[in-house]
Amino acid sequence: MDCIFCKIIKKELPADIVYEGKDIIGFKDLNPEAPVHLLFVPKKHLEWKDDFSQEDLLLLANLISAAKSVAKEQNISEACKLIFNIGKTGHIPHIHLHLLGGWTKDVPKHNI
Ligand SMILES: [Zn+2]
Ligand SMILES: [Zn+2]
C-alpha cells in the first residue's frame, strides 16, 4: 500500500521520532503549524469507519494516551490541542492524531 505513514512505520522514510511503543509511533510533523507539532499514528494501517472493532477502539484510546504523555514530557500539556482530521479534509487516510502546542504567548484562535 502506498501510504506515507506506513512507510515511516517501516522506516522506509525518515522521520523525527519522538515516541515509539508496541502499537503506536509519534513523530514531528514536516510542516509544523505550532512550535511543537507532532503526529501520533497506529502502526496498523487504520482508516476512519463507522464500526471499529474493540481492538481498534483500544488503539484510538492508546493514541490519545501516548500524545498526552509526550505532551507532559515536553512540558506543553498546560495548553495543547489534539486534533483528528476526518473525511474529506484532504488528509492522509491512515488515522493519526495531531498534537499542537508550545506557544509562548497566547494560544492562537484560528486553528480551532
Ligand atoms: Zn498506512
Ligand atoms: Zn493530519
Side-chain angles (χ1 to χ4, degrees), residues 42-107:
K43 287 184 174 176
K44 170 186 172 182
H45 183 92
L46 182 64
E47 300 193 5
W48 289 100
K49 52 190 169 187
D50 293 334
D51 295 300
F52 284 111
S53 67
Q54 285 299 316
E55 189 191 335
D56 291 343
L57 289 172
L58 190 61
L59 218 43
L60 292 176
N62 288 342
L63 263 190
I64 296 166
S65 172
K68 183 67 169 58
S69 70
V70 172
K72 225 175 158 192
E73 252 171 50
Q74 302 213 357
N75 283 319
I76 60 165
S77 60
E78 297 257 307
C80 62
K81 300 182 183 197
L82 295 175
I83 300 171
F84 283 117
N85 286 282
I86 300 171
K88 294 176 182 163
T89 51
H91 252 71
I92 295 163
H94 189 140
I95 287 177
H96 57 283
L97 179 59
H98 290 254
L99 167 62
L100 295 102
W103 302 284
T104 48
K105 291 180 187 165
D106 292 337
V107 175

Side-chain angles (χ1 to χ4, degrees), residues 3 5-6 45 94:
C3 169
F5 289 159
C6 285
H45 183 92
H94 189 140

Side-chain angles (χ1 to χ4, degrees), residues 11-60:
K11 311 278 159 78
E12 291 171 8
L13 280 177
D16 206 337
I17 294 169
V18 296
Y19 176 92
E20 184 153 17
K22 186 164 73 72
D23 301 318
I24 289 155
I25 193 164
F27 49 88
K28 290 185 182 168
D29 194 298
L30 278 180
N31 301 299
E33 287 180 30
V36 177
H37 186 173
L38 307 174
L39 301 179
F40 292 84
V41 183
K43 287 184 174 176
K44 170 186 172 182
H45 183 92
L46 182 64
E47 300 193 5
W48 289 100
K49 52 190 169 187
D50 293 334
D51 295 300
F52 284 111
S53 67
Q54 285 299 316
E55 189 191 335
D56 291 343
L57 289 172
L58 190 61
L59 218 43
L60 292 176

